[in-house]
Amino acid sequence: MDPEASDLYRGILALRDVAAEAGVSKYTGGRGVSVGPILSSSASDIFCDNENGPNFLFHNQGDGTFVDAAASAGVDDPHQHGRGVALADFNRDGKVDIVYGNWNGPHRLYLQMSAHGKVRFRDIASPKFSMPSPVRTVIAADFDNDQELEIFFNNFAHRSSSANRLFRIIRREHGDPLIEELNPGDALEPEGRGTGGVVTDFDGDGMLDLILSHGESMAQPLSVFRGNQGFSNNWLRVVPRTRFGAFARGAKVVLYTKKSGAHLRIIDGGSGYLCEMEPVAHFGLGKDEASSVEVTWPDGKMASRNVASTEMNSVLEIPYPRDEDRLQDPAPLETPTNASSSHSCALETSPCVLTHTEATGAGPTRDAVGATSPTRTAQPVWPPSLLQKNQDSPVFSVFSSVISGLFCP
């Protein structure tokens, strides 16, 4: 904030460019940005994948300044053209890994390593995974709630067909994760001119829904897809808040489980390409159950709480700790599988999609971002019978189409 140009009493809040002072004033063809504790234990670092120049990995020094560590960490990739990017812990070692797509270049899956006290990233992308494509958005999420993350590449049918692609990243105890290509079903969209994509749980059933936008060189409608697998798996969604009640972008959420250990998520302040992900840590747990959850805010504040077995398959809202580091157990937010709770949270969703849903009378409406809405009903949002395509594929279909033909003004 620029205090001299601001007048809070009159509602005037002016911002001042401090990029040069912070050490991040670099010129390049910037495309993707992700923010979170990548190298730091809690403070927000910044990863930028760029076009026509090396990537940046700005390490937060804790004093308002940053140092670019991309080259020393091995993620500068100077001869490629980055697009969508996401942060995740793919091998569940507690370190933040980086995945991103390069425009018609090799896509990267960087695992964070430590050698002789220095941080290095190693690209473990398989030949199929790294296969060049006109990629736009990259999403890392657990679509079937089986504990293993999937990576979705949203491609742009630039000069010819270019289908979207989906991979499952399977953790292995004593080795790099196994990368398995899946059939994305209706979300294949070989002629889609994808410009962005996000995931959220529209209907509160604990299954992530996929929303894709299209256009740029020609008009195409939004698409909304739901998963076809994992309906019986356990899940938990965690929503950390800032001291002012806003979504805690940049927070780190670690969920400890009874069987499979710790699972890490970052409430990413950026991510994707021409889009931004929801401010929710979504955990698919398979048949496992959560035992406790720990949240670390960018300012270093940390809080933890136990998770009761009755709180499985629900949404937990974690407030910023004020006078104590350990939180009292708040009631989980209502979902269709846990209707005894009495709170809910309104998350960021696409107003275009919601307008369509409200017009059909198929589900509850959502309030403005950050508002508290009435308890959600358990009415299904999506039709019970859904078409599935690509059944002749050697890999099973993951997505089926829910809505198409909807344009954003």
Side-chain angles (χ1 to χ4, degrees):
M1 185 180 78
D2 186 344
E4 294 183 359
S6 299
D7 188 341
L8 299 182
Y9 292 102
R10 297 173 56 196
I12 299 174
L13 178 63
L15 301 179
R16 182 169 61 91
D17 184 4
V18 296
E21 301 170 31
V24 299
S25 180
K26 291 194 172 186
Y27 293 88
T28 187
R31 293 294 184 172
V33 178
S34 280
V35 178
I38 303 170
L39 304 177
S40 305
S41 59
S42 60
S44 292
D45 305 308
I46 306 169
F47 178 78
C48 306
D49 62 345
N50 300 319
E51 184 175 57
N52 296 319
N55 299 329
F56 305 144
L57 177 54
F58 293 115
H59 186 191
N60 195 322
Q61 302 299 290
D63 58 0
T65 66
F66 296 80
V67 173
D68 187 4
S72 63
V75 293
D76 52 338
D77 213 3
H79 305 297
Q80 298 302 325
H81 308 288
R83 288 299 190 270
V85 56
L87 305 177
D89 179 10
F90 293 106
N91 56 353
R92 279 187 252 154
D93 64 351
K95 300 181 179 68
V96 178
D97 308 315
I98 303 172
V99 58
Y100 65 89
N102 282 311
W103 177 263
N104 285 327
H107 306 320
R108 307 297 191 188
L109 179 54
Y110 283 117
L111 292 188
Q112 185 175 164
M113 321 291 291
S114 294
H116 308 294
K118 295 183 178 180
V119 173
R120 292 284 298 179
F121 287 83
R122 182 166 56 89
D123 186 10
I124 65 163
S126 65
K128 284 188 176 181
F129 185 96
S130 63
M131 187 172 68
S133 68
V135 66
R136 286 299 180 83
T137 294
V138 177
I139 296 172
D142 188 353
F143 289 105
D144 55 1
N145 288 337
D146 68 344
Q147 298 187 1
E148 309 292 357
L149 290 171
E150 282 81 45
I151 296 175
F152 182 81
F153 288 113
N154 179 213
N155 291 320
F156 183 86
H158 181 47
R159 295 174 179 169
S160 61
S161 298
S162 185
N164 299 325
R165 306 186 71 199
L166 183 69
F167 295 87
R168 176 176 289 136
I169 313 301
I170 304 172
R171 177 185 178 272
R172 293 190 288 188
E173 189 68 31
H174 300 292
D176 291 339
L178 178 67
I179 302 175
E180 176 187 16
E181 184 167 14
L182 306 177
N183 173 12
D186 291 355
L188 199 67
E189 294 193 331
E191 303 301 327
R193 296 174 180 258
T195 54
V198 296
V199 293
T200 191
D201 180 10
F202 270 124
D203 53 356
D205 65 351
M207 300 289 293
L208 290 176
D209 306 304
L210 173 67
I211 306 97
L212 301 180
S213 63
H214 313 84
E216 189 171 295
S217 59
M218 65 176 292
Q220 286 186 336
L222 290 174
S223 298
V224 181
F225 304 94
R226 66 169 298 169
N228 290 328
Q229 302 166 20
F231 293 104
S232 63
N233 288 335
N234 289 329
W235 53 272
L236 195 70
R237 287 166 64 77
V238 181
V239 185
R241 297 280 184 170
T242 69
R243 68 177 70 220
F244 303 106
F247 297 117
R249 302 280 186 181
K252 177 171 63 176
V253 182
V254 179
L255 188 71
Y256 297 93
T257 64
K258 296 180 179 179
K259 298 178 182 178
S260 57
H263 300 250
L264 182 151
R265 299 287 188 270
I266 302 297
I267 308 298
D268 196 347
S271 192
Y273 175 77
L274 299 178
C275 56
E276 184 174 87
M277 301 304 146
E278 65 171 356
V280 181
H282 179 96
F283 297 92
L285 296 173
K287 305 308 175 186
D288 202 355
E289 292 189 4
S291 57
S292 64
V293 63
E294 179 182 272
V295 177
T296 304
W297 281 263
D299 62 0
K301 197 75 169 180
M302 186 174 67
S304 64
R305 55 155 291 186
N306 293 330
V307 179
S309 58
T310 55
E311 294 178 311
M312 290 303 304
N313 306 321
S314 69
V315 182
L316 300 182
E317 199 164 58
I318 309 296
Y320 183 87
R322 300 188 181 277
D323 300 322
E324 53 196 21
D325 286 335
R326 190 167 184 84
L327 297 176
Q328 298 295 321
D329 291 356
L333 308 180
E334 185 189 13
T335 67
T337 56
N338 186 7
S340 61
S341 302
S342 60
H343 298 80
S344 63
C345 76
L347 305 180
E348 295 166 313
T349 53
S350 165
C352 299
V353 174
L354 287 176
T355 299
H356 179 88
T357 303
E358 291 161 7
T360 62
T365 60
R366 309 283 175 110
D367 292 340
V369 173
T372 301
S373 61
T375 302
R376 294 183 293 192
T377 65
Q379 295 176 346
V381 173
W382 313 122
S385 177
L386 299 168
L387 296 177
Q388 298 180 15
K389 301 178 181 178
N390 307 307
Q391 294 303 307
D392 57 343
S393 171
V395 185
F396 55 80
S397 174
V398 173
F399 291 110
S400 56
S401 178
V402 177
I403 297 175
S404 62
L406 177 64
F407 289 84
C408 276

